[in-house]
Amino acid sequence: MTTEPINAADTEFIDRLVAHYVANQGLIRRFLESVHVQIADAIVDPEPLSKLVHSVKRRMKDPSHLKDKLIRKFAAAQRLGTRPDITQENLFVRINDLGGYRILHLHTRQMGELHNALLPLLDQAQCDLFEPPFANIWDEESRAYFEGIGIRTEVNPRLYSSVHYVIQPRSATRITCEIQVRTLADEIWGEIDHSINYPHEHENVACREQIRALARVASSCSRLVDSIVASHRDWLERRPETQEHNEAGGDGA
Amino acid sequence: MVDANTESSRGRAIRLAIFNHKGGVGKTTLNVNIAAALASLGKRILLVDSDPQCNLTAYLIEETVVDDLLDNSDSDNGKTIWSALRPVVEGRGDVRAVAPIERLPNVFVLPGDIRLSEFEQELSPMWGECFQRKPRGFRGTAALSQLVGYLTSQHDIDFVFYDAGPNIGALNRALLLDCDYFIVPAACDLFSIRALKTLGHTLVGWMSDWKTIVELAPTGVPLLPGRPVFLGYIPQRFRVYGGDVASSYARYLPRIERSVTSDLVTVLRRVNPALAPRSGSDSELGQIKDFGTIANAAQAQGSPMKDVSAGTPEQRNDAEHAFLEIAQKIIARTS
C-alpha cells in the first residue's frame, strides 16, 4: 500500500470532512433504511421483483475508507495543481457512496426488467435520481445490451461490472446514496477485488493477474446463465405441448 | 376535509400544553382556570381534551351530555376528538372537522374520548413510518395539529391548550411537538420533582428525532413545528397558614426551582438556548396554593374557581387573582 503525498493543511481539512461525516452519518443511515424498507417490501415472494432479485445488502462507508478516498482525491488534484471542490456543505453530494445499497441478481439480461421495476419503487420511496444511472462495462456486448435498454455505459479499465444509481431523498436536505446492481458472479469478483486489490493495486503480480482473469470467468458465468435461461425459454416456447396449447386458442398467459 | 398543515393553515393561535407526566399535579384544574382567566382578559381559548381519560371533559361538561357525546362519537355527526380523528385511524382520509362546544364565554372545548387511545395506538407505528419517509406516517402524526389548525381559524382562537395525559406516549409526543410553548405544573412532592429529570431528556429526545425526520421528510407532507419553548413552571397545591407557606411545603419550593434549572432549563439550552429563554428562577409563572373546598367544588360544578358557589368570597377572589396573574404572564411571554 502506498501513501499519497499530501500537505498538512489538506490533511487537517480532510480530518474535518471525515469528522463531519461521522457526526452526520445518522442522517444518511436513516435515508438508506427508508429505501431498504421500500425495497425489502417489494422483494417478498410473490411480488414481481422477488423473481428478479436474489438478495440485497447495505452498508455505511467506514470513516477510514472515506479518509483514504479523500486523500487520493486531494493528492490527484495536487499533482495537477488544483484542489477538489469538496467542502462540508457539499460532501454528501460530492461523495455518493457514503451509504451503499446493493441488489444482487442472477444474470445480466434481467437488468432491463429490474431497471423498469426499480424506478417506480424509488419514486414510491420518495427518492429522485441524482444523476442518470450508468453501467460500468468493459466489453462491447455488454455496452450494446445496456445501451439497448436505455442505460448509459462507462468503460471501467479495472474490469468492474455493476449498474450504479445515485439517489437523493425528495426533501430539503441534500444527501445522496448509491445503489449498485450486479450479478452474483460479479459480486464474487467485486468482493475479492475490493478486499485485496482496491483502492491500492496488489503488489503481487500473480494476485493482480488472477483477479483480472477472475473478472472474465465471472463475466462468462453471468453470460452462460443468460444463455441457459434464453435456451430454456426458447425450448419452452417450441415444445409440442406449448404449440398445441397455442393452436387450441390458449389464454397465452 | 382539512387542508395540509402549511404555514397558513396553522393559523395565528398560540398552542400550549400544561405538561408533566407525573399524574395528579392538577393539569386539568390549571387548564380550566387559566383558560377562564385568559377569556376574562378578552382572549378566545380552545381547550383540547387530548387525554383518553377525559378529565377535562368530565370537569366542564355535564355527565349526561358526556354520555351522549361518547355514545355518538362513532357516528358521522360525532362531536368528540375521536370523531374527528377516526377517518385517519381507519385510513379513510383526513381528519373530519367537528364543532367545539363553547362551554364558558370565549372558552371552547373539544370533547375528549376514551377511544382516543385507539388513535394513540396507531401513532406509534406512524412515528416509525415518519423515519421511513412514508407520507402516511406524517399525515397521522400531524392529524391532530391539522384539526386544531382548522378549529382555531374557524373560531378565531388566540390560545390553544392541550390537556395532556400523564405519560410520555406517542400522543403526547405528537402534541408537544405541535406546541409553541409548554408549561410545567409541579406539585410539592418528591415524585413530581423527580419527574422533571425524565421530562427534560424526553423532550430533547423527541425534538432531536423530529429534526432528523424533518430533514428527510418528503416534500409536501404535513409537518409539526417540533420546537416547544419552556414558558414556565407553576408550583401548586401547597398549604398556606396565616399568609405563609406551611413549612412542610416551603422546603419543596426551592427544590422545584433547582430541579427546573438543572433538569429542564440547562438540558433544553444545551440543544438551543431559545428553548428556555428564562433562567430557572425567572421562569416561575405563579404559584397556586391549595384552595381546598373551592377547588373540589369547582370540579363538581364544572366552573372555574372564581365562579364557584362554595368557600368564602375571599378564597374565590384569591383564586381569581392567582390565575389572572398567570394569564397575564402567559400573554406577556408569548407576545
Side-chain angles (χ1 to χ4, degrees):
Chain A
M1 188 179 281
T2 54
T3 312
E4 306 267 5
I6 191 164
N7 67 44
D10 280 350
T11 304
E12 197 185 309
F13 186 68
I14 287 170
D15 285 341
R16 282 209 300 276
L17 290 175
V18 174
H20 181 62
Y21 166 60
V22 170
N24 290 281
Q25 62 179 335
L27 204 60
I28 297 171
R29 185 189 296 275
R30 288 283 184 192
F31 175 46
L32 197 62
E33 287 305 310
S34 76
V35 173
H36 174 62
V37 166
Q38 207 69 242
I39 293 178
D41 273 355
I43 59 174
V44 174
D45 194 41
E47 297 295 328
L49 257 186
S50 68
K51 306 280 182 289
L52 296 168
V53 174
H54 174 273
S55 50
V56 296
K57 291 168 78 173
R58 58 195 194 279
R59 67 105 183 93
M60 291 296 295
K61 199 175 195 71
D62 189 297
S64 68
H65 294 171
L66 172 63
K67 183 172 178 173
D68 200 43
K69 186 171 194 162
L70 290 170
I71 290 173
R72 277 180 282 124
K73 279 180 181 286
F74 276 75
Q78 203 169 289
R79 282 194 295 274
L80 297 170
T82 62
R83 207 160 185 282
D85 175 25
I86 300 178
T87 62
Q88 277 193 18
E89 289 67 40
N90 69 18
L91 178 68
F92 300 147
V93 292
R94 287 271 182 253
I95 308 291
N96 303 129
D97 65 345
L98 296 172
Y101 200 83
R102 197 169 295 161
I103 298 176
L104 303 175
H105 61 114
L106 292 185
H107 61 103
T108 311
R109 287 183 201 159
Q110 290 173 308
M111 201 52 225
E113 225 182 312
L114 241 170
H115 178 68
N116 289 335
L118 195 56
L119 293 181
L121 201 58
L122 293 174
D123 184 58
Q124 216 177 307
Q126 310 290 326
C127 293
D128 288 321
L129 291 173
F130 179 74
E131 60 183 22
F134 68 95
N136 292 279
I137 51 108
W138 44 270
D139 71 301
E140 278 306 318
E141 196 184 23
S142 297
R143 181 204 300 277
Y145 172 71
F146 285 112
E147 290 180 356
I149 59 170
I151 297 176
R152 70 191 171 97
T153 56
E154 277 182 23
V155 173
N156 189 294
R158 300 186 61 258
L159 311 189
Y160 169 67
S161 300
S162 213
V163 182
H164 284 193
Y165 297 78
V166 178
I167 56 168
Q168 57 184 346
R170 200 172 290 148
S171 59
T173 305
R174 295 200 70 212
I175 57 173
T176 54
C177 284
E178 184 176 79
I179 299 179
Q180 302 173 345
V181 187
R182 63 173 73 144
T183 66
L184 274 174
D186 285 331
E187 172 73 354
I188 295 175
W189 181 86
E191 287 293 289
I192 291 294
D193 178 70
H194 202 84
S195 61
I196 66 175
N197 195 43
Y198 184 82
H200 306 285
E201 267 205 332
H202 206 291
E203 288 175 12
N204 180 300
V205 68
C207 282
R208 285 203 307 272
E209 283 296 311
Q210 287 178 66
I211 285 169
R212 290 185 75 84
L214 179 65
R216 292 181 182 274
V217 174
S219 167
S220 298
C221 179
S222 299
R223 181 68 184 82
L224 183 58
V225 182
D226 276 342
S227 166
I228 293 169
V229 169
S231 308
H232 176 66
R233 280 195 186 140
D234 183 64
W235 172 79
L236 276 179
E237 277 173 22
R238 285 169 192 271
R239 65 181 174 164
E241 307 92 274
T242 315
Q243 282 178 350
E244 279 166 25
H245 182 71
N246 287 345
E247 280 160 18
D251 62 9
Chain B
M1 177 169 286
V2 178
D3 291 342
N5 199 20
T6 55
E7 275 302 308
S8 58
S9 75
R10 184 167 169 85
R12 63 173 185 88
I14 289 163
R15 303 182 188 192
L16 303 103
I18 295 178
F19 186 61
N20 185 335
H21 59 289
K22 164 75 175 73
V25 292
K27 288 188 287 286
T28 302
T29 303
L30 281 176
N31 269 319
V32 172
N33 285 282
I34 291 173
L38 282 166
S40 73
L41 294 169
K43 301 296 180 187
R44 291 168 68 84
I45 318 300
L46 173 66
L47 290 173
V48 179
D49 191 349
S50 41
D51 178 0
Q53 301 297 315
C54 304
N55 292 331
L56 177 78
T57 305
Y59 188 127
L60 283 176
I61 302 174
E62 260 180 76
E63 198 175 308
T64 51
V65 179
V66 173
D67 229 18
D68 196 41
L69 283 170
L70 295 180
D71 277 347
N72 292 308
S73 73
D74 236 3
S75 73
D76 285 342
N77 53 0
K79 293 186 175 70
T80 72
I81 193 166
W82 164 252
S83 319
L85 294 168
R86 192 174 148 228
V88 179
V89 176
E90 294 176 355
R92 288 189 288 111
D94 281 335
V95 290
R96 186 166 73 77
V98 296
I101 300 167
E102 189 171 3
R103 182 53 190 78
L104 304 165
N106 287 337
V107 177
F108 296 79
V109 182
L110 176 59
D113 198 313
I114 195 90
R115 293 191 65 182
L116 188 59
S117 47
E118 291 173 45
F119 175 64
E120 174 151 33
Q121 210 171 356
E122 284 298 308
L123 273 180
S124 294
M126 281 168 169
W127 184 255
E129 286 171 357
C130 288
F131 272 119
Q132 294 168 1
R133 308 181 59 250
K134 290 184 174 170
R136 189 188 100 104
F138 291 90
R139 285 197 293 270
T141 303
L144 183 54
S145 170
Q146 288 183 274
L147 173 68
V148 166
Y150 178 79
L151 297 181
T152 55
S153 64
Q154 285 293 299
H155 298 277
D156 196 23
I157 297 295
D158 298 296
F159 287 96
V160 176
F161 284 85
Y162 286 111
D163 194 43
N167 61 70
I168 45 176
L171 179 59
N172 284 346
R173 177 173 56 201
L175 67 86
L176 257 296
L177 290 173
D178 187 43
C179 281
D180 302 296
Y181 300 95
F182 69 100
I183 294 168
V184 176
C188 291
D189 67 60
L190 198 61
F191 297 104
S192 176
I193 294 170
R194 285 196 168 252
L196 295 178
K197 203 182 253 324
T198 329
L199 184 61
H201 287 291
T202 302
L203 284 168
V204 164
W206 287 347
M207 285 190 262
S208 148
D209 278 356
W210 186 251
K211 185 170 170 283
T212 305
I213 287 172
V214 169
E215 282 175 323
L216 290 174
T219 45
V221 296
L223 296 173
L224 304 172
R227 200 176 157 277
V229 171
F230 177 51
L231 196 66
Y233 70 99
I234 305 177
Q236 56 163 353
R237 287 194 174 167
F238 49 82
R239 296 263 158 79
V240 177
Y241 292 114
D244 293 322
V245 176
S247 62
S248 57
Y249 293 92
R251 67 196 167 92
Y252 277 107
L253 295 179
R255 286 182 67 175
I256 293 175
E257 188 191 305
R258 275 202 303 278
S259 178
V260 164
T261 302
S262 61
D263 299 329
L264 266 179
V265 172
T266 310
V267 173
L268 291 167
R269 281 184 176 174
R270 222 175 281 147
V271 177
N272 179 351
L275 290 173
R278 280 163 211 85
S279 69
S281 53
D282 281 344
S283 57
E284 191 192 273
L285 267 169
Q287 300 183 347
I288 300 298
K289 63 183 186 184
D290 184 357
F291 287 108
T293 54
I294 68 162
N296 295 336
Q299 284 219 26
Q301 294 169 22
S303 311
M305 292 186 204
K306 69 183 173 71
D307 299 330
V308 86
S309 47
T312 64
E314 199 184 15
Q315 277 178 317
R316 292 196 293 274
N317 194 42
D318 242 20
E320 181 176 12
H321 185 76
F323 288 111
L324 264 180
E325 206 174 301
I326 291 173
Q328 280 158 344
K329 277 193 184 165
I330 289 174
I331 294 171
R333 289 184 185 184
T334 58
S335 50

